[in-house]
Amino acid sequence: MARKPKRDLTVEEQLARGPLDLPFLMLVLLLTGIGVIMVFSASYATAYLQEDKSPTFYFFRQALFAAAGLTVMYITSKINYQTFRWLSVFALGLAVLLLIAVLIPGIHTSRSDGVKRWIAVPGIGTFQPSEIAKVAVIMYFSARLSKRNTEKPRRLSPRSPLSGVVGFLDRIGFLELVPYGAILLLVAALMLKQPHMSGTILVLAGGASVLFAAGIHWGWFVAGITGVGGLLWIVITLTPYMTNRINLWLDPWSQRQGLGYQTVQSLIAIGSGGMLGRGLGNSIQKMLYIPEPENDFVFPIVVEELGFVGGLVVLVLFALLILRGYWLALNARDKFGALTIVGIITLLAVQVFLNIGVVTNLIPNTGISLPFFSYGGTALMIQLGEMGMVLSISRQIPPPKHD
């Protein structure tokens, strides 16, 4: 029986089969591996004292989600990233629907403090719709703004009474920003209803980074930061939930045995690590001094056990990953790929900064996790999926030209 001749690959298929960026891949794998180990070390005591859990409960779940996330990353990296263009519309629509759904009683998980951020998935656990919203906004903005210089501007008839006003707004770039501003305001409003201040900041940062990289005039960012800063200040002062966090930030020691307990213990853990740390697994603060040390406050355990040197190594790895990501953006095949990487890497950078800032009391407690390190299955899988998108774009970077 004669074999069918192999079909020649199209140019797009050939480009999508290029090599992955090895430095970026190795940094992601290294951070993920260290993160899983630190979840095991930080959560051992907590899980041991919970009657319905084994000491390795959090470790095995995080390792399982890490394996699943790495699989998602690999599959995503094999997809031609141009596919993400048309998927961006559906991703944004899904994100908005989930942000609305999480506000409906009976869908979100109930908490005594009134926070509505999670949706329960039977047999898996919970997830935050905000995680999907972060990447969905980046995808949609990148897809739209990548065509910014090719779309023909819409003009009103010179006889129209609004032509003068519209023309002025168009010249200063206001009309171009209206749809993007509307999307950011809608997503931010839904997230503030949860309330989820840290998630709101991340969505705004991711969207703003794509707008900035696309060439939007810097003056709009000054105006936007001023406006958003004023709005956040109003929300903070009028929301008891956020006002308490600001007061704790200013003087956590005044409530050392109360609401400031976690921050104080975090500072003690970081300070007691010294230069080389107590040794892996030998943290004292994880022995029920820091509440849930495997979550947002995992970095103090890293510093306590591995010392200043270990904490610095982790931060250097993050810095290298971020710098490599921006290098990939500069060398991306097209504008859509470049903008997507800029948004994803900026999101990662801001999240790392906010988490480290919180655990060192540099900024108020925002309840934000440390990428690849904090316990949380769906968040880790989505983060690794985002890294897969970056790797997919890296496959199509043109090879260097040799003279």
Side-chain angles (χ1 to χ4, degrees):
M1 184 175 180
R3 293 183 179 180
K4 293 182 179 179
K6 291 185 178 180
R7 179 178 61 87
D8 292 335
L9 297 177
T10 65
V11 175
E12 291 293 328
E13 290 173 333
Q14 293 176 21
L15 288 170
R17 292 191 177 189
L20 295 172
D21 186 72
L22 189 58
F24 190 88
L25 174 62
M26 295 306 298
L27 287 167
V28 171
L29 294 176
L30 193 56
L31 284 167
T32 303
I34 297 174
V36 171
I37 292 172
M38 292 312 306
V39 165
F40 174 54
S41 179
S43 66
Y44 190 89
T46 303
Y48 180 79
L49 294 176
Q50 295 177 347
E51 296 181 357
D52 59 334
K53 294 181 177 65
S54 68
T56 57
F57 173 81
Y58 294 105
F59 165 68
F60 280 126
R61 282 182 63 87
Q62 189 75 349
L64 180 63
F65 279 114
L70 291 173
T71 302
V72 171
M73 181 180 74
Y74 174 75
I75 294 173
T76 305
S77 71
K78 301 287 285 185
I79 299 173
N80 188 332
Y81 74 90
Q82 300 299 332
T83 306
F84 304 137
R85 285 181 183 269
W86 62 266
L87 282 178
S88 63
V89 177
F90 299 98
L92 183 62
L94 175 64
V96 172
L97 291 176
L98 289 174
L99 289 175
I100 294 174
V102 80
L103 300 175
I104 301 174
I107 295 181
H108 65 76
T109 57
S110 57
R111 277 181 39 166
S112 58
D113 56 3
V115 176
K116 304 177 287 290
R117 299 180 187 173
W118 296 269
I119 293 177
V121 180
I124 299 178
T126 60
F127 77 97
Q128 296 187 56
S130 59
E131 295 292 336
I132 298 176
K134 296 171 191 174
V135 66
V137 167
I138 291 171
M139 289 172 59
Y140 182 79
F141 279 24
S142 299
R144 292 293 304 163
L145 288 165
S146 64
K147 303 177 181 178
R148 181 171 180 251
N149 297 327
T150 60
E151 292 182 338
K152 294 182 179 180
R154 297 178 181 178
R155 304 289 185 186
L156 284 179
S157 171
R159 298 178 180 180
S160 172
L162 297 177
S163 61
V165 176
V166 172
F168 171 74
L169 294 176
D170 185 47
R171 285 193 298 274
I172 64 175
F174 178 80
L175 293 182
E176 182 183 22
L177 290 176
V178 169
Y180 303 107
I183 291 172
L184 288 178
L185 286 176
L186 173 62
V187 174
L190 291 173
M191 294 180 69
L192 287 174
K193 288 287 291 181
Q194 297 181 10
H196 194 1
M197 182 63 71
S198 60
T200 304
I201 294 173
L202 288 174
V203 168
L204 294 176
S209 66
V210 177
L211 290 168
F212 183 80
I216 301 298
H217 193 274
W218 62 267
W220 287 111
F221 293 93
V222 175
I225 292 172
T226 303
V228 171
L231 179 62
L232 290 178
W233 179 255
I234 293 173
V235 172
I236 289 171
T237 54
L238 296 180
T239 307
Y241 175 81
M242 296 306 303
T243 303
N244 291 336
R245 290 200 169 190
I246 294 296
N247 293 334
L248 287 175
W249 169 59
L250 294 175
D251 187 12
W253 297 90
S254 64
Q255 301 187 51
R256 179 175 180 177
Q257 298 300 323
L259 296 177
Y261 179 79
Q262 191 174 38
T263 299
V264 170
Q265 296 304 132
S266 171
L267 296 175
I268 293 174
I270 293 173
S272 62
M275 185 61 67
L276 300 177
R278 298 179 182 274
L280 183 63
N282 295 327
S283 167
I284 294 176
Q285 294 303 315
K286 71 182 181 184
M287 301 297 180
L288 304 186
Y289 288 100
I290 296 181
E292 300 182 359
E294 70 279 0
N295 290 331
D296 301 346
F297 281 73
V298 67
F299 188 72
I301 307 302
V302 173
V303 179
E304 185 184 8
E305 295 189 348
L306 306 181
F308 173 80
V309 173
L312 183 61
V313 168
V314 170
L315 294 181
V316 168
L317 290 176
F318 273 118
L320 290 174
L321 180 67
I322 292 166
L323 291 174
R324 187 65 183 181
Y326 284 132
W327 183 89
L328 293 175
L330 289 173
N331 292 275
R333 178 188 167 205
D334 59 15
K335 194 171 184 179
F336 172 64
L339 293 178
T340 302
I341 294 181
V342 166
I344 290 173
I345 296 301
T346 301
L347 187 66
L348 173 71
V350 172
Q351 193 165 346
V352 171
F353 171 79
L354 290 179
N355 180 270
I356 303 301
V358 165
V359 300
T360 57
N361 204 40
L362 178 65
I363 59 176
N365 193 333
T366 57
I368 200 165
S369 60
L370 183 62
F372 309 118
F373 278 73
S374 294
Y375 174 75
T378 52
L380 178 61
M381 290 181 63
I382 291 176
Q383 288 162 5
L384 290 172
E386 292 169 357
M387 299 302 104
M389 294 175 66
V390 176
L391 289 171
S392 172
I393 297 169
S394 76
R395 284 181 175 274
Q396 300 191 34
I397 290 179
K401 296 181 179 179
H402 300 285
D403 295 334

